[in-house]
Each structure stands twice: as C-alpha cells, then as structure tokens.
Amino acid sequence: MNEYLDDWNAYSDNPPNLIDDSSMFYFKGYEILFCTGIGHSFDDSPSNVIQILNGANVINPPNTELKYKINWLEKGKAIKSISFFTPPNKKYLGDVFTEAPYGLIKKNRTGIGATTLELNSDRNSIVVVPTKALAYEKARSSWDSNINKYKICYVGSPIPGFKTPAVQTYLADEEIRYKKFIVVADSLPRLLNQLGETCYQDYFLMVDEIDSYQYDNSYRPALEDVIDCYFQFPQTCRCLVSATVSDFSNPQINEEPVIEVLFNDLETRNIHLLHTKNIYETAKQHIELILQNHPNDKILIAYNTVSGILTLINSLNESLREKCTILCSTKNKNTIKEYYNELINTTLPKQINFMTCIYFVGVDINEPFHLISIADIRKTHTLLSEDKLQQIAGRCRIPNGILSETVIYNSGESIDIDIENTRQQAIEAATLLANYADIVPEVKKQFPRIINRDNDIDEAAQKNIITKSTKQYYMVTTAPLVRIDINKHICPSFFNIDNLLIQLKLRKILYASPKALPQTLREQKHEIVFEEAEVSNAENYQEIEQSVEEEIQQNIEEERENITQQLREYERIGSETHTEANDIEERKKLAEKIMYSSGCCTQNRIFLERFVELQEYIPFEILIEKLKEYDTPSEYQKFYNATVFWSLDEEHPLKKLIYQCFPINEEFTGNELTEKFNNIWTSMFRGEELSNRQAIPKLKVFCKLKRTSQRINRNPRPTYKIINYDYFELQCEPIKRRESNTDVTQKFRFES
C-alpha cells in the first residue's frame, strides 16, 4: 500500500489556472478550500491542507490532513472523481468532516457513519434511507433526555410502539435548533410537500445506499421518484451515498461530482464458496451442519426470492422450521404469514433468519452470526455481485461478528454481449417511448384529423405504455423501460435499465463458470476456500416448489377475499343521502388506501387498480367475480376492451355501426367478417387493414362469435355466427353509460 501512496500528492497533478495559489480549487462542481502553506506531503515537502471539500468542513485542519488526488478523465477538461485517503486511525466520516460533502460519495466501505455524520451536522437535513428498520433505529437513538424529545423526526409508515411528533409540530419546536428528518424513500414526496417550497434552500438532502435503488426499483418503482426530488435541490445542497456504487444510466447522476473515500487498510474477509448443482439441498445441508457444530449460534441467509426461501424452509425438519423467520418487504406480509418479520432493533429476531434484498442495505446488526449468501442463476434477480456480497457482510456492525461466511451458488454459460451497447439500446428505446408520449398531444393538437383523440394521453394510457414497455435482452426481461415521474410525465426508468445491465453483467462474467467468482474475490485479496458441493439423497424440490407456489397463491386469494369484504361493506351504508355514486367514491378511497398500505401484495394492488378503473360501470359483485376470472394481463385487456364497448351509450356511432354491420344471428365467412371490420377499423380507429387472423380477435371485443360451417361445392367452409354483443356475458345493464360522443380510440387498448 505504501508504494501506492507514494503516487499521491496534493500538487502532483497541478494543472495550470485551475488551482489558485490563494487557496482555492474550483472546477465544474468540484471545490476545495486549502489552508495554505501548512502541512506536509508524502515526501515531507510543504503542501496545502484541505480545509473544505465540496462544502464539507474538515475537522481541525491541519491536524486532520487529507491526502487527495484529482482523477482526470482529460487533464484540465474533465474530472472523473476526487479521491482522498482517510487519515490514519480514522474510520468514520464523522472523524474527518463536520457535515457531508455534496455530490456522489463513494465510501467504498460499509459502516463508516455517513448518515450519522449528516444527522449530527449543524444544518437542517433530510436523510433518505431504503428501509424502515434503519430509519427507526436512527430516530429512536436520537432521544435527548435533557429535553425529553427525539431530535430526529421519523417520516414513514407507522411503527408499533414508536411515536414521533407530526412534521408541523416538530418544525415549531424551538428547542430543536437544527431540524433533522429521516424518511423512508417512498415517503419523501409527502415530506417535501409538508415542508413547502422553501425546503429546497433550507435543507441538505442525503440519499443513502443509492445503489440499492438500482437493484430494487423494479419492484419498488417509487424509489426513482426520490431522484426526481433529489434534482430539485441545488447541487451544493444534496448528496448521494453508497459503499458499492455501480455504473449509472441516468445522465444527470453521471454529471454529479464524485468524492471517493479510500482507506489505508484493506478490508478482507474469509469466504467459503460452495458451487453446487442443487441450491436447495446444499443450503439445507449447510444450515444443518452449522447448527450441529454450533447449536446456539444464529444464522442469517441472504436469498432474494420469497418463494425460494419458503421452499428451503419447507425442506427443513419441523423443529428447525419453528426457528425460521423471513425479513422482507411488507408487501409479502400476508403471503408468507407466520414467517414474516421485521428488524426493529439491531438483533436478529430468530435463530435462522432469511432476508431478501430490502435488508441487504441500511440495517445494522449488533450481534454475531453465521452468514450464508445464495445466488441462483436460474433466478437472475438473486445473483449477487462482489460488491453486493460485501454490502451484505457489512450488515454486521461488531468486530469479528461474522462467525463464518459462505456463498452458495451455481453457474451457467457465459453470454456474448456488449454491455455498454445494450445499455445504449435500452436507453434509446426508453427515450423513444418518452418522446412519443410527449409528442402525441402536440400532434393531436395541430393535426386532429390525423390523430382524432383528446389533447392529452390520460393516466390510463400512460399506465398502458408503461406496462407494455418491457423488452427482452439475452433472455433477461426488463422491468418497464419507462415510468411516470413526479410531474406526471413519462420518462426513461434509468434504474430499471441499470438493473437489467447488472443482471446481464453477472451472467456474462461472475456466474459464467464455477471459477469466475473465486477468482474475482481472490483478486480483491479475500481469503477464499472453494469447493464443489457434494449433493446426495436430494429431495424432490420441484414438488416442494409447486406446493409453495400453491400456498402463496392461496394466501393471495385469502387477502383478496378480505379486501373484497372491506369494499363490499360500503353497499350496506343506509341513509337518506346514500347512493350508488357514494359507494363508488367511498370504495375508490378505500381501495387506494389499501393499495398504498403496507402488507398489500403486488397481485392485489393490481386487482384494486383494475377494480377502481371499472367499478363505476359494472355492478360490484359481477365485477369482483370477473376480475378473479380474467386476472392475467392479456385476459384482463380483453375483458377491459369488451366492457368499454358494452358500456357505450346505445347512440354511440361505433355501437350503431357494429349493430348495423354484424346483426345478431347472422352468419359470415372469415373474409366477410374481416372486410366489414376493416371498414370500421380503418375509419374509426385510424388503423391499417388487418388480416383475418388479426381482425377476428379484435372483433370479439364487440360481439360474441360462434364458429359454424357451411358446405360450398360439397366442401365445408368455416363461418361465424353473431351470438350477442356481450362477449363476457355480464348479463346486466351498466351502472353508468359512456357518453355518445366518447372518443373510443382513447379508451380501447389494442395490441399494435
């Protein structure tokens, strides 16, 4: 390491006209204020000592002397980062600075107190953390016995037994000079609304563990809203922090100044790598082996799949199952039932603790445990980079607290892929969709005869674009490439693109062969023991997996029944002013409350979104049953389209034209149906002519067909008979009719 340090000198780069001899360096978002003529460089010659780095004051300069380096992309034109070594015997950022520097802070090590530094600083701060557990712990530990108050205000979903003051009450408290808010990512927009427009000048915003957003955004899309909020703050009033920063696709983040924190001592670990052909059996055997040798020790298993965890738990004997718990997102609370748990303090709740990626960052565990990390190439979202393995190990906050560390993994064949080229393809595809969403309203405004629709893409159309914006790259399907930002515009989802590239890179390199992972970890100076796991007498895990999936589905259905019962109760409201319209509005409010509450699983959030979308047209009980019956995306789309036509006013031009062209009980050949339907399709929907195979499925949106046959020249020819105009047999009248001037081209959702 000393040979490396010899290359570092405060003035080794010394670009002309960029460092002012009077003590200031400033260049495109980077700034350093020096105590001139004080201190010494590595060769004992006089040098300048950093006093302020990107707005952060150094504690007691020149006693705290930072060795730094400017890493130029192109000397005098572009900087990649500014790196500094923490002084000897200093392992926390709070030992070096009085507040956090602005920009992107790559701390390169967990547990160095970045959030603590900002929460203790002499300024108003908002710290955004990825987990409720971390937010709770920071807020709970801020109790000041001198004033009998929490000095940090927690903002997020309720925590049983823990109550902090309301935001406005906290702001009005004059005994707390510097206001400190710690907020879970999903709640940040709500907090900023409460603070008002002046918060962007009055507060410093820190977003902690930013890399977790790249991993988790696909199932927590609200995470990317945090970045929208982040860039509303001035550059000198914001920072992003992570110990394991991956490449970003978001160009705005890439323009942030990067401050890299380095340490004089390497942080190495002893890691046992088990390569296996049977993840479940190897993990089961290893858990049993640990408990056999250390019956009182705790175990923490990092495995980013709830169904996989349940399969593994169900493979254990009953006495061990009772010792298991799962730390995961609240959305899985009702689907895993008795195994669900939360880390509400710094100790593990049971002896055998499983955790998904929401707990890979932002939690502190202050007790010893055996760590098992699992990566299964069959489930690419479970793959773990070397940085992620480091981050998981960093959850233990006590010296020598990890009693043993094991990584259980499998591998596949490397994929031939240009990562950066794929990133560019995904960004271009996402940008194309975003531009389309922006330009369509303007085209419609100027050329209404070309696109005969309303002047805006409404919320339903936006959601439709997002749902269909997934693409597959090298057998990995992206999460949606676009999203709705906090200003209600469609824009690229850069974190979802990042997540795609992370998965592809892991498949291409780290898990492309059994020896790739050990080689990478050895290059990082870790002590590695590698072995091929011997798997014998393996159970039939396919049966266990199937049983788990059935149990999860049953729990989802039970949750849905409970939700349905809550919605149904609004029909029982009896008063003189009670109307169906009252029920619909009240049910909408309740549905939205349940959707955004903790514990509602993804499938039932989708169920509620669909319920809210259709409840003003279809009677309650019929709608509930049909939503259960047609619950896949493709089935729901057909059902939705059919109900749009069904609910049109009888005088609507489309309805009258369908009635005229396709009378009940009339029979048509496929060619006749297509010809008649194409006349409607090209005129009313502005679409291109369709083939028989394309036209007939679309026609089924408007009427129910029965396939029959006619004999022409003794040869049977398939024909179709019009049965009715209620394809899904709702067999009732709409609660409300869509008006006769409704622009149906905006309402229907047809595949292109």
Side-chain angles (χ1 to χ4, degrees), residues 696-713:
I696 292 174
K698 285 183 170 61
L699 178 58
K700 288 180 178 178
V701 163
F702 308 106
C703 54
K704 188 170 185 177
L705 306 176
K706 180 181 180 181
R707 185 163 177 165
T708 58
S709 64
Q710 292 179 349
R711 286 194 172 272
I712 300 176
N713 297 327

Side-chain angles (χ1 to χ4, degrees), residues 120 141 151 157 175 279 295 332 344-345 367 405 438 455 488 508 586 676 700:
N120 290 337
S141 61
K151 298 184 75 172
S157 58
E175 289 189 281
I279 290 286
N332 292 309
I344 56 174
N345 54 41
E367 65 174 335
E405 180 178 356
D438 281 340
N455 286 336
K488 306 302 180 185
K508 177 181 179 178
E586 290 302 315
K676 286 177 174 290
K700 288 180 178 178

